[in-house]
Every structure is written in structure tokens, then in C-alpha cells.
Amino acid sequence: MKINLFEPYIDEAEEKAVLETLRSKFWASGAGIGNVAKFENKFKKYVNADECLAVNSGTAALNIALSLFNIKNCEVIIPSLSFVSTANCVLQNGGIPKFVDIDKKTLCLKPELIEKAITKKTKAIIPVHFGGFPCDMKKILSLSKKHDLKIIEDAAHATGASFSKKKIGSHGFAVCFSFHPVKNLGMPTGGMIAINHSNAKQFKNKIEARRWCGITNRNDDRYEVEEIGDNYYMNEISAAVGLKQLQKLNKMNSIRKNIAKNYEKNLEVNIKMPFSQNCAYHLFWICVKNRKLFRQKMSEKGIQTGTHYKPIHTFSLYKNKVKLPITEEVGKQIVTLPMHPNLSENDIDKIIKFTNSFAN
Ligand SMILES: Cc1ncc(COP(=O)(O)O)c(C=O)c1O
């Protein structure tokens, strides 16, 4: 039996919820009512944010979050070791991505390097909680205060992660989650923007319009459109699955943590993801010298592995002369091992055994 890199974790609860929603004949609404509103409320309580607005992907969440203030021709500090949406949202909104190197141990942005990269043109920072490992939000928030910068967290990997006893989702101005099927909380397609601001209601109204084609002030058949918006709203079937997944999120994340603890203890590789109770472990990564050969040998044993990620600054769209020594070194060696709550003890033993024989 093949061991998959990622898998959603579902049972009869999700099956029943999908069927009920299908049979209700109410599948979607740009108004964000029904299951979508219920999911937003429950998620808001879970992360303890001022407001939470559901959208149809992590990419949509980032695109809208960056549109909430004007970044035209301004620099936005981002890591390069991430999924390309982390940088695309900056270009989408007319900003300039400024790549900064990462911490060797956690692969998250290094606050000392962020501070060095800040210029008069810097407007925002997008910390990525890499693999679910929380960035140092204390230092990043203090940089944002000192230099008057907005913090948009890319928490695509970090649903359920914490920093300083507070859930990720309650720190930065906007925190963007992905609920892609293989994420910690999975659904057919979905994302969330958590807002933390004294004027959160005002941002809520803006996001509601921008996720539904610019529509505002709706009253029965009357409504207004004052600015352009996208079709970014979440559907009812995804939200129905999300409600069930949220109920078991802590359980799923604690299974992920136990797997990570086992990997961290028993993998005989020099460079591997550290263990932390605060991490959500969407990914578990190691570094190997010969990635191609390692991945091929693991595949021959029926174990799927991944490469997360090819550094964004090496894509032709982003190619620039920035030097990011740690990102570049890690980018050549990083491999992700299977990580999901369906892994059996046998699977985990097999993954550890073959990683130890092929990694060195
Ligand atoms: C770090 C990161 N940011 C953003 C995204 C985008 O999320 P989505 O696939 O839901 O659009 C992903 C998805 O894999 C991601 O890994």
C-alpha cells in the first residue's frame, strides 16, 4: 500500500454534512449566510480574532488582505521559501515583493533580517508560519509598531498553531488561512481572513464587498457597487465540511504532533524540523544532500515525499539578484515526509526506517 504525503481526515460526520447540504438545494450565496456564517463565527471564537471572513481559498484571503491598504509601488517583506501565492498577492495589488532570508532552524522569516531590509518604501510584512511552525510574532509585532508596518500573516499551514499561548489568528492585522483539502482543516476549497484591529467592523464591510463582486448595502433586490470585487466567497458545501473539521481540529493536530515528535526523535538526519507543542505540523521537513535520489528510493518503497518549496525568487516572474543563502541552500535539499492523521504506526515506522537508510 502506498503511503501518501498528505490526506484529508474524514468520517461519517463530513459525509452526512455534505449530503444534507446537497439535499437542502442551498449550495452557495455571495451574501455569506447559512453554513458560511456559522463557520465564520465558530472559527472566530476558536482563534479569538476580532472578525473572521470566509473566502474560497488561501490565495483569495491573501489577495483581499493586501488590498485593504494601499501598497502601490511600496515594498512588502516576504520569505522566498513559500507557495507562490505569498508573493503573487503583492504583485496583484501593485506592490514590490522584497525577499528576506529565513531562520535555519524554523524556516520562518528572521526578525533581525527583516529589520535590516526595512526602507522608507516598506509598507508591510508577510510572515509565513512555515509548515505550521509559528514565527516569532513578539519580535515581528514590535517591528511593525516601531516602523509603522502592517502585518499580514500567511497562516496557510498554521490552523491551530499558537504563539505565546494565543492561537495564530489573534496576532497580526490580517491572518490568512487556507482550507485546501490537505491542510490541517480541510474542505473542498476555502480560506479565511482573521482581522485584529480596533476598527475591525470597517474592514469586515470592505472584505464582504471584495469577496462578492463589489456588492454592498444589500436590501432585498436593491444593492450598490462602489468598487470592483472578485468572486471569492466560500460555498455552503465547503463550509459544512469545515464545521465538522473544526470540531476535530484539536484531535487531528494532536495526532500530527505525535507523528512529528516521533520523526524528530527517531530520524537520523542532521537537519530536520524541530519539535514544538505550538506547531500545527502541516508539513514535516528534513534536508538531504541528494534529494532526487532520496525521493526516488522512497517512491520505490511506496512512500510519497514532496518538495516544499522551490524558492519563489528563482521563478522567472520574480527573478532578481537578491542573495538569500539559507533559502537557496535549503531550497536545494528540503524534502517533506508524509504527514496526516491517517498514518498508522506501521506507516510511521516504515517512513523512519527508510528515511534513515536513504538520507545519508
Ligand atoms: C504558504 C501558503 N500560502 C498560501 C497558499 C494558498 O492557499 P490556497 O491553495 O488555499 O489558495 C498555500 C497553499 O498551499 C500555502 O501553502
Side-chain angles (χ1 to χ4, degrees):
M1 270 275 280
K2 189 179 161 215
I3 303 177
N4 287 327
L5 179 60
F6 300 128
E7 268 179 24
Y9 182 73
I10 55 155
D11 56 36
E12 301 77 31
E14 284 83 356
E15 288 172 10
K16 200 163 160 258
V18 169
L19 207 56
E20 269 173 21
T21 313
L22 283 173
R23 286 179 177 157
S24 78
K25 302 194 174 74
F26 175 53
W27 293 359
S29 163
I33 49 179
N35 290 332
V36 171
K38 277 188 208 150
F39 180 62
E40 286 174 336
N41 273 328
K42 294 232 151 93
F43 196 84
K44 183 170 102 168
K45 284 197 186 111
Y46 181 80
V47 297
N48 196 21
D50 291 330
E51 291 294 344
C52 274
L53 283 302
V55 286
N56 58 17
S57 68
T59 303
L62 285 165
N63 287 347
I64 294 187
L66 266 284
S67 79
L68 294 175
F69 51 103
N70 185 6
I71 60 160
K72 285 214 168 56
N73 299 317
C74 296
E75 291 169 355
V76 177
I77 290 176
I78 55 172
S80 172
L81 194 78
S82 185
F83 185 62
V84 70
S85 295
T86 310
N88 284 354
C89 63
V90 179
L91 290 188
Q92 283 258 5
N93 285 286
I96 306 162
K98 177 115 183 217
F99 296 105
V100 164
D101 217 350
I102 46 177
D103 185 285
K104 219 175 181 163
K105 280 201 184 118
T106 64
L107 310 188
C108 292
L109 276 179
K110 204 168 178 173
E112 297 74 24
L113 298 180
I114 296 178
E115 185 148 35
K116 274 194 193 154
I118 293 170
T119 68
K120 281 195 184 109
K121 285 177 84 177
T122 311
K123 202 71 176 264
I125 308 169
I126 309 182
V128 175
H129 304 293
F130 193 88
F133 203 99
C135 295
D136 188 336
M137 290 314 298
K138 191 169 172 221
K139 286 194 183 152
I140 292 174
L141 287 171
S142 90
L143 282 177
S144 99
K145 265 200 190 135
K146 185 170 160 193
H147 299 276
D148 190 23
L149 305 174
K150 284 270 186 303
I151 305 295
I152 313 291
E153 292 167 60
D154 184 337
H157 301 175
T159 308
S162 310
F163 181 83
S164 209
K165 298 200 171 110
K166 284 171 67 186
K167 281 268 177 311
I168 292 296
S170 58
H171 298 91
F173 159 65
V175 189
C176 300
F177 295 90
S178 163
F179 306 130
H180 178 278
V182 302
K183 294 295 194 303
N184 297 57
L185 186 159
M187 56 175 72
T189 169
M192 186 73 84
I193 309 170
I195 295 286
N196 297 294
H197 193 276
S198 52
N199 217 344
K201 279 266 172 316
Q202 181 200 320
F203 291 106
K204 177 179 189 263
N205 294 340
K206 270 198 178 167
I207 296 168
E208 280 175 343
R210 286 176 193 182
R211 74 179 173 182
W212 189 26
C213 306
I215 290 172
T216 55
N217 300 332
R218 215 164 141 262
N219 184 0
D220 196 17
D221 60 350
R222 279 171 297 156
Y223 56 85
E224 178 59 285
V225 178
E226 289 160 357
E227 54 167 28
I228 202 158
D230 281 285
N231 184 336
Y232 275 164
Y233 60 84
M234 181 180 278
N235 71 68
E236 284 293 295
I237 299 161
S238 286
V241 174
L243 281 163
K244 299 300 169 197
Q245 289 268 294
L246 188 55
Q247 283 174 0
K248 54 173 89 146
L249 179 63
N250 288 344
K251 178 186 165 196
M252 295 191 290
N253 278 350
S254 97
I255 300 173
R256 286 173 180 273
K257 266 182 235 179
N258 282 336
I259 299 168
K261 205 183 235 174
N262 200 343
Y263 280 164
E264 201 272 335
K265 187 166 165 227
N266 294 306
L267 287 174
E268 293 155 7
V269 288
N270 292 335
I271 305 176
K272 58 189 164 190
M273 193 169 183
F275 183 76
S276 162
Q277 282 295 347
N278 295 326
C279 180
Y281 289 104
H282 164 57
L283 304 175
F284 192 94
W285 56 265
I286 60 170
C287 284
V288 296
K289 286 271 179 285
N290 190 337
R291 178 167 62 199
K292 197 167 169 221
L293 189 64
F294 174 78
R295 291 197 59 200
Q296 186 193 318
K297 288 192 164 181
M298 292 294 274
S299 171
E300 282 163 11
K301 296 291 175 193
I303 302 169
Q304 191 184 25
T305 58
T307 300
H308 295 88
Y309 294 90
K310 179 174 154 65
I312 300 170
H313 75 287
T314 64
F315 290 122
S316 53
L317 177 63
Y318 289 98
K319 221 157 207 147
N320 63 31
K321 292 203 173 67
V322 64
K323 282 235 167 354
L324 305 169
I326 296 176
T327 301
E328 279 153 28
E329 196 186 330
V330 171
K332 286 185 197 128
Q333 300 182 350
I334 194 162
V335 180
T336 40
L337 298 178
M339 173 54 88
H340 55 81
N342 297 325
L343 291 173
S344 68
E345 276 184 25
N346 264 352
D347 293 336
I348 298 163
D349 290 347
K350 192 171 159 187
I351 294 159
I352 292 171
K353 179 177 139 198
F354 288 117
T355 301
N356 288 345
S357 21
F358 301 144
N360 298 305

